[in-house]
Amino acid sequence: MTEPPPTPAPCPILHLDLGPLDLNLLGLHVHLNEVVLDIEAIPGAGNLLGNLLCAIAGLLDGVDLSGVLGNLLQNLIDALIRLLEGLGAGGAARPAVPPT
């Protein structure tokens, strides 16, 4: 007999843990004790949405987000400096034509 293939592990999509909430909505008092919301995608045959969400959730696995964000911020700063220099703001620190 052949054994069935192992069930794929679910992919965590969202974990939201809200503590107690007290709301006063124009005289309507709402008390919410605690809400825990866990959403998992289950991949496998016939699970189109589960397969899609697991693939999307796995796109950033192994990516150094701090390095990527650091490079993006540095590029943005460099572009702003070039823009300001092009507008003449960079010339404020340079001396004007020397007096004669």
Side-chain angles (χ1 to χ4, degrees), residues 6-73:
T7 305
C11 305
I13 301 298
L14 175 68
H15 173 78
L16 183 63
D17 190 353
L18 298 175
L21 295 174
D22 286 311
L23 302 173
N24 186 353
L25 305 171
L26 300 174
L28 177 65
H29 182 253
V30 177
H31 175 76
L32 189 60
N33 191 18
E34 184 178 6
V35 174
V36 177
L37 175 64
D38 284 313
I39 298 177
E40 296 179 333
I42 310 296
N47 293 350
L48 182 63
L49 189 55
N51 292 334
L52 176 66
L53 291 175
C54 278
I56 291 171
L59 285 176
L60 296 178
D61 289 349
V63 174
D64 177 22
L65 288 181
S66 63
V68 170
L69 290 176
N71 288 338
L72 286 173
L73 287 175

